[in-house]
Amino acid sequence: MNAQLQPERRASAVAPAQDCPGQPPPPPPPSKDVELLLVKEQNGVQYTSSSLLPPAASLHYSAEGQPERETWGKKIDFLLSVIGFAVDLANVWRFPYLCYKNGGGAFLIPYILFLIIAGMPLFYMELALGQYNREGAATVWKICPVFKGVGYAVILIALYVGFYYNVIIAWSLYYLFSSFTFELPWTNCGNIWNSPNCTDPKLFNASVLGNGTKYSKYKLTPAAEFYERGVLHLHESSGIHDLGSPRWQLSLCLLVVVIILFFSLWKGVKTSGKVVWITATLPYVVLFVLLIHGITLPGAYNGINAYLHIDFRRLKEATVWIDAATQIFYSLGAGFGVLIAFASYNKFDNNCYRDALLTSTINCVTSFISGFAIFSILGYMAHEHKVKIEDVATEGAGLVFILYPEAISTLSGSTFWAVVFFIMLLTLGIDSSMGGMEAVITGLADDFQILKRHRKLFTFGVSFGTFLVALFCITNGGIYVLTLLDTFAAGTSILFAVLMEAIGVSWFYGVDRFSEDIQQMMGFKPGLYWRLCWKFVSPAFLLFVVIVSIINFKPLTYDDYTFPLWANRIGWGIALSSMLLVPAYIIYKFLNVRGTFKERLAYCITPENEHHLVAQGNVRQFKLQHWLSI
C-alpha cells in the first residue's frame, strides 16, 4: 500500500514516526517492497513507519519487540465470524413474524430503506473503526478520549446479554438431547410433567379454544407443557420473587455451552475463526433442508402466501416503520463492540467496505429466506388443526420451542427433523454468543495489558462468571429473570450507546478525518452518500429509535403474569448501569486532566496523538470548519 502521510496537514489517530535527525533515508532498492508497518507505543498511540522488506518476509513487531497484534488466519474466518454473529436466533424467530404482521411483502420497503440509510452505514463505520485503530471497543476511543465511556458501556451490555443468551442455547441443547428417542417427548400427554388438562393435539379442534384464544397462545398442548412444565418448571414458581433452585438438567446443559465457548475463544481468533466454519455454515444447510421439506407439506402454500401477502395500506401505520427500524438495528448487531473487536484483527489494508456490504446483505437475506421455512410449517399446522394462519403465527421462544417442535413431531422421521432443527438453533446461538464474549475479552484486554498477557485465564473468568449469573435464569422462575434481562439489558441502553458512538465518530472525531483513515487503509475515500449518512442520517435514525423505545415502554409482562413495580425498577437500574458509564467517564476524564477549562476540554476531545497540538493552541475542534466539514 502506497500511503504518503503528512503530519502537518493530516490529523488522525495514526501519525508517522520521525526519521533520525541528520540521516536522510536511503532510497529503496528496486528489488525490495516498501511495507507500511503499524507499531504501537505503550500509551496507546499508533505510529507508522516504512520498512524495507523482501517481498515474502513481512513480520510485524511492536515497540516492545513483541509480535504485533494477531490477525485472522484467513479472510473467510473473519467473514464467517461476522455472519455467524449477526445471523442469530432473531433471524428465525422474529423477522418472519414481523414481516407477516406488518403487511407481508410491504414490510420489506421500510426494512430495506432503513438497511440502506442506517444499518449498512453503521455496520461499515464499526468495521472501519476497528480495523484502522486495531483496538477493542474501549481503547478505540483514543480518537476522542472523552467518549471512552461508550466503549465501557457496550462491553458491559455485551456481558449482560451473555448472562441470558447462553441460557437460550442451553434450552436448545436440552431439546437436542431430548430428541434422541423413537417418540419425541412433546408428542403426547401422559408424561410426568403434563397437567391433567393436557389436550392431545390429535383430538384438537377450533372449538377447544373459545373466547378468541389463538392456538399459538394455548398452553395445554403437549409441546407447550413440555416447554413450560418439563423444561422450565414454570408451574413451580409464582413469580420473579419465587425463583427456587437451578434445575440440574439445565445447569449441565449450560455448563456444556460455556465450556464450548471457552475452548472456542481461549486462544483468540486463531481458534474461534475455525469454529465458525461449522457454526456459521451449518445453519444454512439445515435451513435449506427444512425449507425443501416444508414446502412439500399440505398447507405450506397457504402459509407462504400469508407470509408474502402484500398490504400497502399497513405502511400508513407508524408501528410498521418502528418495527422495521428496531429490527434492522438489532438484526445487524451494531453497537455491541463485536464488529469493532472482529475488525481489529483484520489486516490493515483489508477491504472492509466490501465486507460490510456483503455480510449485512447476507444477514438480511437470511432473515427473509428463513420466513419460508417457518411459514411453510405454520401453514401445515394451520391445515392440520383447521385454524387460520393468524391463530398459529407467533414469534420468539414460543415459535422455536413450542410450535415448530410440535409440527416436527407430526412428521414422518420426526426424530431426524427434531435433531437437525435443534442443531441449527444451537449453532445459531453459539457463534452469536462467541461474538459477544469476544467483544468483552478484546475490549478489556486491550485496555488492561495484564488481562492480555493472561488471556486464557481471563477468558475462563468471563466464561465462569457468565455461567454463575446465568444460573438465576435456569431456576423454576428463571424465565422471569431472563425476560427482565432481555428487555432492559440491551434495549434502550444499546440504542443510546450506539447513538453516542455515531456522534463521537462523525462529529467530534470528524467524518472527513474518518474518511481519510479509510482512504489510508483501502486507497479510496468513502463517497458522499456514506459521509452524509454517518454525519446526519444515522444519528437521526438512532435518536428516533431511542425516543420511540422510551415512549413505547410498557410495564413488563410474561404471558398473563405482570411483573411487580420493584422488578421494573431493577430493570431500569440495569439499563442505567451501562448508560451512566458514558457521562460518568466524561466527568472523570475532564477532572483528571490538568490545565484550564479550555485546555481540559481540548485534551478530552482531541485524539491522543495530537495532544502536542493542544499545547500549541492548535485545536481542530475549536474551529468552525471542523464541525461543518463532510
Side-chain angles (χ1 to χ4, degrees):
M1 182 179 67
N2 297 322
Q4 191 72 27
L5 305 180
Q6 300 179 15
E8 306 77 69
R9 64 176 183 82
R10 169 77 172 105
S12 98
V14 175
Q18 301 293 327
D19 293 325
C20 297
Q23 295 184 7
S31 60
K32 306 250 183 169
D33 289 340
V34 179
E35 175 170 325
L36 193 65
L37 297 183
L38 287 174
V39 238
K40 188 164 61 178
E41 297 291 346
Q42 287 183 343
N43 62 0
V45 183
Q46 291 184 342
Y47 294 87
T48 61
S49 63
S50 295
S51 301
L52 301 177
L53 297 173
S58 119
L59 295 176
H60 296 252
Y61 291 93
S62 68
E64 293 82 13
Q66 299 296 322
E68 186 52 64
R69 187 181 188 86
E70 67 174 325
T71 57
W72 297 96
K74 295 179 181 178
K75 172 66 175 287
I76 190 67
D77 295 353
F78 165 70
L79 292 176
L80 288 177
S81 295
V82 173
I83 292 171
F85 165 70
V87 178
D88 65 354
L89 294 167
N91 293 70
V92 174
W93 77 17
R94 180 159 173 80
F95 174 84
Y97 177 75
L98 284 181
C99 188
Y100 160 77
K101 186 183 78 169
N102 291 306
F107 180 71
L108 297 178
I109 294 175
Y111 183 77
I112 294 174
L113 174 65
F114 287 133
L115 168 66
I116 294 173
I117 68 172
M120 281 184 173
L122 287 170
F123 205 87
Y124 181 17
M125 182 184 76
E126 288 210 347
L127 291 184
L129 190 64
Q131 181 173 306
Y132 183 79
N133 294 284
R134 301 176 70 78
E135 299 282 359
T139 48
V140 76
W141 287 105
K142 61 191 175 185
I143 64 173
C144 188
V146 77
F147 278 85
K148 194 174 183 179
V150 176
Y152 289 134
V154 299
I155 290 171
L156 183 58
I157 292 170
L159 190 62
Y160 284 158
V161 171
F163 292 157
Y164 69 89
Y165 196 81
N166 292 342
V167 173
I168 301 174
I169 306 173
W171 293 347
S172 303
L173 186 60
Y174 184 85
Y175 267 82
L176 178 61
F177 289 149
S178 301
S179 299
F180 288 100
T181 57
F182 290 107
E183 183 180 68
L184 297 174
W186 54 84
T187 304
N188 298 307
C189 299
N191 300 289
I192 58 173
W193 56 80
N194 289 126
S195 70
N197 297 322
C198 179
T199 304
D200 191 327
K202 298 184 182 66
L203 306 176
F204 180 88
N205 58 65
S207 62
V208 174
L209 294 177
N211 299 326
T213 304
K214 292 185 177 181
Y215 184 80
S216 59
K217 300 298 182 182
Y218 191 64
K219 297 297 185 181
L220 298 178
T221 63
E225 290 201 345
F226 178 78
Y227 172 64
E228 292 201 338
R229 298 172 67 91
V231 178
L232 303 183
H233 286 257
L234 185 58
H235 62 290
E236 298 181 26
S237 171
S238 57
I240 194 170
H241 61 282
D242 179 26
L243 295 181
S245 303
R247 309 300 305 181
W248 69 266
Q249 300 94 330
L250 291 179
S251 299
L252 290 178
C253 291
L254 179 63
L255 181 62
V256 171
V257 169
V258 170
I259 290 173
I260 292 173
L261 291 172
F262 170 69
F263 283 107
S264 299
L265 295 169
W266 70 324
K267 289 186 178 180
V269 296
K270 296 296 184 185
T271 53
S272 63
K274 299 298 179 286
V275 174
V276 292
W277 279 75
I278 298 175
T279 59
T281 57
L282 191 58
Y284 287 94
V285 176
V286 175
L287 194 62
F288 179 74
V289 172
L290 291 172
L291 172 60
I292 296 301
H293 186 68
I295 59 179
T296 65
L297 299 173
Y301 173 78
N302 294 333
I304 293 174
N305 185 56
Y307 173 52
L308 295 179
H309 173 70
I310 298 177
D311 184 4
F312 288 112
R313 292 173 299 178
R314 297 298 306 278
L315 296 180
K316 298 178 182 178
E317 301 175 16
T319 54
V320 174
W321 295 84
I322 292 169
D323 282 346
T326 52
Q327 175 62 19
I328 198 65
F329 173 80
Y330 285 112
S331 178
L332 292 177
F336 289 91
V338 179
L339 301 178
I340 293 175
F342 280 165
S344 72
Y345 296 108
N346 276 335
K347 294 180 180 178
F348 185 73
D349 59 353
N350 174 64
N351 191 336
C352 59
Y353 170 65
R354 182 178 57 203
D355 296 343
L357 295 182
L358 177 65
T359 52
S360 58
T361 301
I362 288 175
N363 173 66
C364 295
V365 170
T366 302
S367 297
F368 180 66
I369 293 177
S370 69
F372 290 89
I374 295 299
F375 271 85
S376 61
I377 289 290
L378 293 182
Y380 165 70
M381 284 197 66
H383 175 271
E384 289 293 295
H385 296 303
K386 297 179 176 57
V387 296
K388 299 177 182 178
I389 298 292
E390 63 188 55
D391 291 328
V392 294
T394 188
E395 61 178 328
L399 173 63
V400 297
F401 292 116
I402 298 177
L403 286 179
Y404 213 94
E406 179 181 331
I408 287 175
S409 69
T410 65
L411 304 176
S412 57
S414 58
T415 296
F416 168 77
W417 295 114
V419 168
V420 296
F421 177 70
F422 290 113
I423 285 177
M424 181 185 76
L425 293 188
L426 190 64
T427 52
L428 280 173
I430 283 288
D431 46 17
S432 296
S433 188
M434 282 170 53
M437 287 185 65
E438 184 61 61
V440 175
I441 294 166
T442 296
L444 294 178
D446 284 344
D447 199 22
F448 304 98
Q449 292 302 310
I450 187 172
L451 299 179
K452 177 173 285 189
R453 289 194 297 269
H454 301 90
R455 179 184 169 106
K456 293 180 182 178
L457 185 60
F458 179 47
T459 303
F460 174 80
V462 173
S463 303
F464 187 65
T466 57
F467 170 76
L468 291 179
V469 177
L471 290 176
F472 287 99
C473 296
I474 56 175
T475 57
N476 297 333
I479 187 64
Y480 301 123
V481 179
L482 188 146
T483 303
L484 185 143
L485 288 173
D486 185 38
T487 303
F488 290 101
T492 303
S493 55
I494 190 66
L495 296 169
F496 171 76
V498 184
L499 172 62
M500 298 306 296
E501 176 186 297
I503 292 173
V505 172
S506 303
W507 288 88
F508 283 82
Y509 184 57
V511 165
D512 56 336
R513 186 153 44 179
F514 185 54
S515 299
E516 290 175 14
D517 294 346
I518 294 174
Q519 186 174 24
Q520 283 189 48
M521 292 190 293
M522 296 182 287
F524 61 87
K525 202 171 184 178
L528 179 62
Y529 169 78
W530 296 103
R531 301 199 301 274
L532 287 173
C533 284
W534 287 330
K535 186 106 177 180
F536 302 108
V537 181
S538 294
F541 165 82
L542 289 166
L543 181 61
F544 163 75
V545 179
V546 167
I547 293 173
V548 165
S549 71
I550 296 174
I551 293 175
N552 286 352
F553 173 77
K554 297 177 182 177
L556 203 55
T557 61
Y558 177 81
D559 288 340
D560 297 330
Y561 174 75
T562 301
F563 283 69
L565 181 61
W566 62 264
N568 285 272
R569 289 173 176 170
I570 289 177
W572 278 111
I574 293 172
L576 289 172
S577 67
S578 56
M579 296 167 67
L580 289 177
L581 288 176
V582 178
Y585 191 85
I586 292 175
I587 297 171
Y588 163 78
K589 187 67 179 178
F590 185 81
L591 296 178
N592 204 41
V593 175
R594 296 180 180 179
T596 63
F597 179 89
K598 187 176 181 179
E599 289 173 338
R600 291 185 178 193
L601 180 61
Y603 280 117
C604 285
I605 63 177
T606 302
E608 289 181 359
N609 70 301
E610 294 180 10
H611 281 184
H612 63 282
L613 297 178
V614 176
Q616 301 169 10
N618 183 14
V619 182
R620 173 189 166 113
Q621 284 86 345
F622 287 172
K623 300 174 183 176
L624 182 62
Q625 182 183 357
H626 167 81
W627 302 98
L628 298 179
S629 60
I630 298 178

